[in-house]
Amino acid sequence: MIIFDYIVNLSIYSLLVSTPLVIRSYINHQPLKKLHLWVAVYAGFVSVILVMLSVKQQGFSYDIRYAPIILVFTYLGPVAGLITGAISLLYRLYSNGHWPAAIAGWALIMTVFSILHVYLSLFPPLKRSATLFGAYIILYICTVFSFHILQDQPIFHIQYLLFVMLGVLLGGLLIESNEKLRRIITEKKVIEKTLEASESKYRLIAENTSDLIMVMDKDHSISYFSPSHEFILGYQSLKFEGTTLCEFVHPDDLAMFKDTIQRMLDNMEAHSMEFRLKHKEGHWIEFESRCRPVKGDSGLIEHIVIISRDISERKKAEEFLLQSEKLSIVGEMAAGVAHEIRNPLTTIKGFLQIQKKEKHPIKYSDLLLSELERIETITSELLSLGKPQAVQLTRTDVKELIAYTVEFLSPQVLLRNIEFKVSYEESAFPITCEKNQLKQVFLNILKNAIESMPNGGMIQISLRKEAEDECVILVEDQGCGIPEDHIHRLGQPFYSLKEKGTGLGLMISHKIIKQHHGRISYRSKVNEGTLIEVRIPLIK
């Protein structure tokens, strides 16, 4: 029967502990002022109910009222614990006898619990409650022997302490599980509010930006599109549902678009591209897009975010500027051509007029022929510059082109007392190029170097690799040099430091190197020489 009575006590005690915790989880209200004091009062009434259900044994009353007292000390501290203990003691004295033992035991337990709380304040709750219960066992045994309470029934005391322990353990688990659940719910609400605020912010940006924001799946189907699509392309949102982006891409751009997307999926890297999308009215709009892959939980790409910007107006402006630049260059070239051709024509015209007046055979035929050849040279260079040339790209080693050019110019440098010194840092420099065009570039550069050294000297030619994907060709002469303020004009039409130069050779060289995705730069000092650096992309 005693065990049954304790089980009833534990059941009612568990119900009384869990009821306010459950109610608290369903009611969202502002916390009461001095909530710990109200909890202490409630725990005191729980202790009163446990005293009312106490077990009688030879005139002594036994109950598990110290289980809620230990828990209150654990979670709320000495003040709340003393309030709970005082309420339970008062009802215990009111309902039963043996006051000295009850008062002495209560006073001793309250004192020890208050002292221990100071040292246990940094411990976790379950560890604090276990320590307080251990102290309670010691104090209970001291009380039993001090007042000679049922010393001949140790089993009874063991049962009592066991059920108090179960009460502390059960109550602690209920409180801890509720606190953990409350923390989870609180954190979830905070996360939901944060996500809601973040979603609202990004929705505000997405719905009011002029850029087109789109989320595309791996199969090119569209899963999200910003409202800006309707403003720029004219389609309503429903138009995109269940469709693929490829349906709106210009046929000429479709292969490039698919290839870029596939390369991005393979390399898991972001890419930029330009393509045209079809407007609702049928015309095409050019977009510059930044595509970024988005990985899922599995680590594989599940979506692609495409942020596009209408660049139609920019393209028109660039085309207008390009046409303006072409007109400017044509005007400059026309003035240069008129100036360059007028000089030899003036010479020819003058001598022909003299010949007409004197009625003598032509004495200056060599001079006239020289001037006519100069006109022919200028005309040929202009045709080479302006006329599109058939380009046949082949895999070539830069060393072979340099060797050919050096060999071709060898007779000329011997006559001028000039020496070529060639050095290579690598065994091979493979590039894709049009051989004849690059030969023309190297020929123009080396001829300029030779003509800048009337007194002879050395021309150093070196090749090296840089950054594993670029070939650097250096040509350094010991000639007259170029003034620093003139270097920026090199490559302009009809600008030359040579007496009879046209400047078209370097201009054509610049054009050829640019077509091969390379660049030319110059460094020079007057009377010391010039260093020309040519960079061309290598192939693997």
Side-chain angles (χ1 to χ4, degrees), residues 248-250 252-253 274-278 284-287:
F248 302 91
V249 178
H250 195 283
D252 295 342
D253 301 335
E274 293 183 7
F275 57 88
R276 289 163 287 182
L277 290 176
K278 190 175 183 180
W284 300 93
I285 299 179
E286 293 193 63
F287 289 94

Side-chain angles (χ1 to χ4, degrees), residues 62-79:
Y62 287 88
D63 53 67
I64 59 171
R65 67 180 184 275
Y66 275 102
I69 294 174
I70 291 174
L71 291 177
V72 171
F73 265 96
T74 298
Y75 287 95
L76 301 179
V79 175

Side-chain angles (χ1 to χ4, degrees), residues 378-398:
I378 294 171
T379 306
S380 299
E381 289 181 337
L382 285 173
L383 287 174
S384 175
L385 179 65
K387 181 180 178 181
Q389 304 292 321
V391 176
Q392 184 176 1
L393 298 178
T394 57
R395 182 186 176 98
T396 310
D397 194 327
V398 179

